[in-house]
Amino acid sequence: MVQAKTPTTKLDAELARRLLSQMVLIRRFEEKAAEMYALGKIGGFLHLYIGEEAVAVGATSVLRPDDYVISAYRAHGHCLAKGADPRRVMAELFGRRDGLSKGKGGSMHLFDKSRNFLGGHAIVGAHLPLAAGAAFAVKYQGGDQVVLCYFGDGAVPQGEFHESKNLAAHWKLPVIYVCENNRYAMGTAIHRALAQTEIWRYAETYGLAGEAVDGMDVLAVREVVGRAVERCRREQAPSLIEARTYRFRGHSMRDPSAAIYRTKEEVEREKQRDPIGLFRERCLKDGRLTEVEIKTIEKEINDLVDEAVAFADASPEPPLEWLTADVYRE
Amino acid sequence: MSVMTYREALNMALREEMQRDPRVFLIGEEIGVYDGAYKVTQGLLKEFGERRVVDTPICESGFTGLAVGAAMVGLRPVVEMMTFNFAILALDQIVNSAAKMYYMSGGQYNVPMVIRGPGGPAHQLAAQHSQSMEVYFYHVPGLKVVRPSTPPDAKGLLKSAIRDDNPVIFIEAETLYGIKGEVPDDPEFTIPLGKAEIRREGTDVTVFAYMGMLYRALEAAEELAKAGVSCEVVDPRTLRPMDIETMIGSVRKTHRAVVVEAGAGFAGMGSEIAAFVTENAFDDLDAPVERVTGANAPMPYAKNLEQAKTPSKEKIIAAIRRVCHA
Ligand SMILES: Cc1ncc(C[n+]2csc(CCOP(=O)(O)OP(=O)(O)O)c2C)c(N)n1
Ligand SMILES: [Mg+2]
């Protein structure tokens, strides 16, 4: 893999604090969501992002607020990193009226237009052409925003992956495809789905810039996506980035973390490379943050997430008239 | 007879048909190593091996098209859609390849295949994962469409579907996988496609319903019986070809009809049934055919809205009362 070189980005204390806070926020939010699922406050499918936080946080940290992000159904982290209000995200998971999508979308369909977050999409592969379309619109309108599209390794065998790569490269669309390769699509290990398992290599075939990055290293992700953003803004050259990561939990809350398809030992081994743990250590070692500062961050985030739960719980159910509203725009 | 779940009945049908016919193979996502996302194919990889239980990458259009090709050249594929919502990705292969092959080849190439998996509303799975997909398929000449509501039907109809020489869309329901019933052990037990079943006899009104809605309609019938309204509940089982004879026969007897369906009403199953009842039994009708359908909206996530989306027992009862003036 193209390992992260020594990050060129200067790591000042402010940046370190921001990156760590966001990763801790996502982690804590997800842990809380799992608790709420167990209590029956959240229903349906719930896919947690625990273990993969460095990808969303590293990638979003090099975006501007007016850049676009689009994702699949494991999208809480992407949405929070893009700046969505955790209270409204939690309310959406609760299916309440103050949720981002008025409680109509749920965990898999978070949308936040105010943050240019183009949504969570639950059909594997479907949002990849949408990302190309958003980039097409940016270019059409003469803008300089980029579109960042997260997707899983499971989407790579899907036709829409290949179609959108070709369109993006052929028409030079300002889009960055970030594959979160966590090595499994549900119970299917990547080598059981792909003859070419080095996903970034598809870039060359289609004519995009391609790079692989250690997705457990938030600074490495930041560096690699930073380069892609540069390319996009400067020459409207799209990229395909493969971020190598791992999900610590099951595919969804219905799937135990180490089922038939992977061993407990493997999961435990990967947890040794916890992206938050790694970054924490690094900040302490470099003297960017002190133990006390980190504790303060964790405390603040805990409170924030508790507040999100309280907010969601207090939010009323959507009124019944909303069932048939928003089908057509009048 | 053995008491088993709907899921086990499906599993039994698959196993028996694979034992019976070496041309039958299973293909789909997570059906082997993972034993099926909903465990319908549990144990079959172990028993039949990788040659006949084929795990695929996520590429519905690809593996469905592959199955059509294999069927043209002598095999009898059973394709699993992890959920039928994903069959939309394979719609081109189903509609343009599988359904039309026999016709456009002038009867040279038939496509004996089954596409099966759960469909319809489940528990808060939201807009993209809760669709009643049968409507997308039964419009298409060349396809047969089955919706089995009970464990014995699950077994008997799936076996007939696998033995059929045409592409058969076989849509199960996640919410029914756990229900139990008596299922014949006989490996030659089948239920012919295109035969409706009278689930409850009655004299005042015919209620057509299948899958989850069948059970709700039966509850409504039970309650109305106490009020002196006698409902005949008919389960079409196969939506195409539809057993018009049995269905019309029932309406001729009761003179009234109500159709219940979980999906949105516009151009739904109820429209079709209402049309052929009117065409075939107009003079027997004492009231217009009523449809009780899901709201014309995508499935919302919020629990209360989700509940409001599909027809409730109360709505079914109200419709029956309206046509019976009771
Ligand atoms: C078209 C389609 N097929 C199947 C599914 C069922 N499904 C949901 S998630 C998933 C696995 C996807 O894995 P990956 O893309 O690697 O994402 P990850 O869950 O690892 O984040 C599958 C098969 C789906 N949602 N859409
Ligand atoms: Mg994956």
Side-chain angles (χ1 to χ4, degrees):
Chain A
M1 136 166 67
V2 183
Q3 269 284 4
K5 299 168 200 101
T6 37
T8 46
T9 28
K10 203 171 113 287
L11 180 60
D12 57 49
E14 191 35 50
L15 177 63
R17 177 193 312 281
R18 189 151 59 87
L19 297 176
L20 186 67
S21 305
Q22 286 195 358
M23 287 200 288
V24 173
L25 168 64
I26 295 170
R27 174 70 54 93
R28 190 69 202 119
F29 184 95
E30 296 291 62
E31 288 168 349
K32 206 64 179 177
E35 277 174 47
M36 294 300 116
Y37 189 87
L39 290 177
K41 298 266 184 192
I42 298 171
F45 289 138
L46 182 68
H47 309 87
L48 302 180
Y49 195 58
I50 293 177
E52 309 187 30
E53 295 90 344
V55 184
V57 171
T60 317
S61 73
V62 290
L63 295 183
R64 294 194 320 229
D66 64 337
D67 288 329
Y68 292 91
V69 167
I70 189 165
S71 179
Y73 49 84
R74 196 182 298 286
H76 309 167
H78 307 136
C79 187
L80 289 168
K82 194 67 173 61
D85 180 348
R87 298 176 309 165
R88 296 198 58 205
V89 180
M90 192 62 87
E92 189 59 35
L93 307 196
F94 275 48
R96 302 299 174 83
R97 64 187 295 167
D98 296 301
L100 281 179
S101 307
K102 299 183 187 163
K104 291 170 153 195
S107 160
M108 300 196 289
H109 307 300
L110 302 171
F111 289 80
D112 191 347
K113 197 170 180 182
S114 72
R115 301 287 171 180
N116 283 358
F117 184 73
L118 297 167
H121 301 267
I123 302 300
V124 171
H127 68 292
L128 278 75
L130 305 185
F136 182 93
V138 166
K139 190 168 176 175
Y140 188 102
Q141 291 159 344
D144 72 339
Q145 300 104 308
V146 304
V147 179
L148 197 139
C149 173
Y150 301 99
F151 62 100
D153 48 287
V156 176
Q158 195 71 284
E160 285 156 313
F161 168 86
H162 301 271
E163 295 174 23
S164 51
K165 291 307 144 298
N166 180 55
L167 290 176
H170 189 51
W171 290 338
K172 285 191 148 288
L173 303 177
V175 55
I176 300 164
Y177 286 102
V178 177
C179 179
E180 298 181 308
N181 179 4
N182 58 15
R183 308 205 316 245
Y184 294 91
M186 279 186 77
T188 302
I190 184 167
H191 66 268
R192 298 184 57 238
L194 292 171
Q196 171 55 274
T197 54
E198 306 247 319
I199 292 166
W200 66 278
R201 288 187 189 277
Y202 287 100
E204 195 187 351
T205 304
Y206 290 112
L208 296 85
E211 279 191 79
V213 62
D214 178 0
M216 296 310 217
D217 179 344
V218 67
L219 295 177
V221 173
R222 192 176 144 81
E223 180 189 324
V224 168
V225 178
R227 269 202 294 276
V229 170
E230 267 295 290
R231 275 193 298 269
C232 240
R233 287 211 216 283
R234 218 180 35 235
E235 49 201 279
Q236 297 200 306
S239 298
L240 170 61
I241 292 163
E242 176 189 348
R244 301 204 172 143
T245 180
Y246 199 82
R247 70 169 149 73
F248 292 172
R249 301 289 182 102
H251 170 69
S252 75
M253 288 299 289
R254 298 183 181 190
D255 174 45
S257 77
I260 7 177
Y261 59 88
R262 61 182 196 182
T263 61
K264 272 206 179 66
E265 292 69 42
E266 179 186 304
V267 177
E268 287 314 311
R269 190 170 63 246
E270 294 300 329
K271 281 185 181 169
Q272 302 301 308
R273 300 206 66 240
D274 183 328
I276 297 179
L278 290 178
F279 189 60
R280 209 172 179 278
E281 288 312 304
R282 178 168 186 159
C283 289
L284 285 171
K285 211 171 92 209
D286 293 0
R288 308 291 172 198
L289 295 172
T290 65
E291 199 67 73
V292 175
E293 284 170 318
I294 292 176
K295 281 266 162 333
T296 312
I297 290 174
E298 287 170 347
K299 168 84 179 65
E300 282 166 9
I301 297 293
N302 259 338
D303 293 347
L304 197 66
V305 173
D306 285 346
E307 204 187 309
V309 169
F311 175 85
D313 226 2
S315 173
E317 285 184 326
L320 287 180
E321 312 85 80
W322 286 10
L323 171 59
T324 48
D326 303 325
V327 179
Y328 297 100
R329 180 157 174 171
E330 301 298 340
Chain B
M1 288 281 188
S2 305
V3 173
M4 66 181 72
T5 62
Y6 183 101
R7 174 188 283 113
E8 288 162 344
L10 292 167
N11 183 273
M12 188 181 202
L14 293 171
R15 172 176 286 110
E16 287 174 2
E17 292 308 299
M18 290 178 81
Q19 283 165 347
R20 178 177 177 271
D21 186 344
R23 297 169 300 174
V24 175
F25 74 101
L26 312 184
I27 184 166
E29 294 159 12
E30 308 288 355
I31 63 171
V33 173
Y34 200 76
D35 265 339
Y38 295 96
K39 308 298 168 208
V40 171
T41 53
Q42 192 147 38
L44 298 179
L45 172 65
K46 214 178 216 167
E47 184 170 340
F48 296 99
E50 285 182 355
R51 181 164 161 268
R52 298 185 67 196
V53 179
V54 184
D55 271 328
T56 69
I58 305 172
C59 55
E60 287 79 6
S61 174
F63 65 72
T64 305
L66 184 146
V68 175
M72 291 172 72
V73 184
L75 301 186
R76 301 182 80 87
V78 179
V79 175
E80 175 168 308
M81 289 294 161
M82 184 181 288
T83 82
F84 249 89
N85 304 284
F86 315 144
I88 300 175
L89 283 88
L91 207 54
D92 178 54
Q93 293 296 356
I94 298 170
V95 173
N96 273 325
S97 300
K100 301 178 169 71
M101 199 67 71
Y102 190 56
Y103 190 82
M104 61 188 187
S105 69
Q108 296 182 80
Y109 283 107
N110 66 316
V111 178
M113 71 188 277
V114 176
I115 303 170
R116 55 151 291 276
H123 302 289
Q124 283 195 279
L125 301 188
Q128 295 183 328
H129 276 69
S130 314
Q131 303 169 84
S132 297
M133 291 296 300
E134 57 271 32
V135 296
Y136 291 69
F137 301 107
Y138 59 56
H139 185 68
V140 182
L143 296 179
K144 295 188 178 181
V145 180
V146 181
R147 295 229 63 187
S149 305
T150 69
D153 280 16
K155 176 175 174 183
L157 291 167
L158 182 53
K159 287 167 71 80
S160 291
I162 295 172
R163 294 181 192 190
D164 201 281
D165 280 334
N166 299 285
V168 180
I169 306 295
F170 191 94
I171 310 182
E172 303 148 13
E174 186 189 332
T175 48
L176 297 183
Y177 280 141
I179 63 164
K180 288 191 173 161
E182 295 231 325
V183 177
D185 300 311
D186 178 7
E188 280 313 306
F189 163 72
T190 59
I191 294 172
L193 304 187
K195 283 270 168 257
E197 175 83 352
I198 297 174
R199 298 284 179 200
R200 177 191 173 105
E201 297 213 9
T203 52
D204 296 332
V205 54
T206 300
V207 183
F208 296 108
Y210 52 91
M211 311 303 281
M213 289 301 113
L214 170 66
Y215 295 94
R216 223 166 260 182
L218 286 169
E219 282 171 32
E222 193 63 42
E223 201 163 312
L224 282 163
K226 290 176 209 147
V229 180
S230 166
C231 302
E232 177 143 304
V233 180
V234 179
D235 175 0
R237 304 205 283 200
T238 304
L239 303 181
R240 186 164 188 167
M242 197 171 251
D243 183 358
I244 294 188
E245 209 181 299
T246 304
M247 294 167 72
I248 292 295
S250 175
V251 177
R252 289 229 166 91
K253 185 174 86 177
T254 63
H255 308 292
R256 295 177 176 87
V258 171
V259 191
V260 188
E261 67 186 305
F266 190 89
M269 181 80 313
S271 320
E272 186 61 26
I273 294 179
F276 76 68
V277 166
T278 311
E279 285 162 3
N280 291 281
F282 184 75
D283 292 334
D284 297 289
L285 282 177
D286 285 344
V289 180
E290 276 248 13
R291 290 181 290 161
V292 189
T293 73
N296 283 296
M299 182 63 81
Y301 165 76
K303 207 182 237 169
N304 66 323
L305 297 187
E306 185 187 50
Q307 269 162 12
K309 160 86 169 117
T310 38
S312 61
K313 185 176 75 180
E314 290 66 35
K315 276 196 185 134
I316 299 170
I317 289 176
I320 295 172
R321 283 187 180 282
R322 272 195 303 277
V323 298
C324 293
H325 308 291

